[in-house]
Amino acid sequence: MARIESVDEPGGQYQRVVDLLGGSKVFSQRILTPLDGHNAIRKGLPGRALQSFVTNLRVLKPIDIEKAVGM
């Protein structure tokens, strides 16, 4: 049976994504499971999540980020 990783696992993939999007500074609700992440996306990610993403991810060129978010 597949094991579901929680955000609390140090270095886990969900923790890295939450951190990349700003973590507790951006999200009012704690994101601990994939379901929490799904619900956050369904409600709409805060604008600061994109700002944090762009700040923390310097691999993409600004034009590529603009294309990815539909600007």
Side-chain angles (χ1 to χ4, degrees):
M1 177 174 257
R3 186 176 145 281
I4 296 178
E5 177 181 359
S6 77
V7 171
D8 286 341
E9 293 182 41
Q13 68 178 348
Y14 297 111
Q15 182 63 55
R16 290 191 304 267
V17 170
V18 171
D19 290 346
L20 188 63
L21 294 174
S24 62
K25 294 177 187 174
V26 172
F27 295 98
S28 58
Q29 301 281 330
R30 291 186 64 194
I31 299 176
L32 300 174
T33 67
L35 182 58
D36 295 337
H38 169 80
N39 288 334
I41 292 168
R42 193 174 57 97
K43 284 195 260 182
L45 296 176
R48 293 185 321 173
L50 178 60
Q51 182 180 14
S52 179
F53 176 76
V54 170
T55 301
N56 290 314
L57 187 68
R58 305 219 177 238
V59 176
L60 297 175
K61 297 176 188 170
I63 190 71
D64 295 330
I65 296 170
E66 290 173 7
K67 288 178 184 176
V69 298
M71 294 175 63

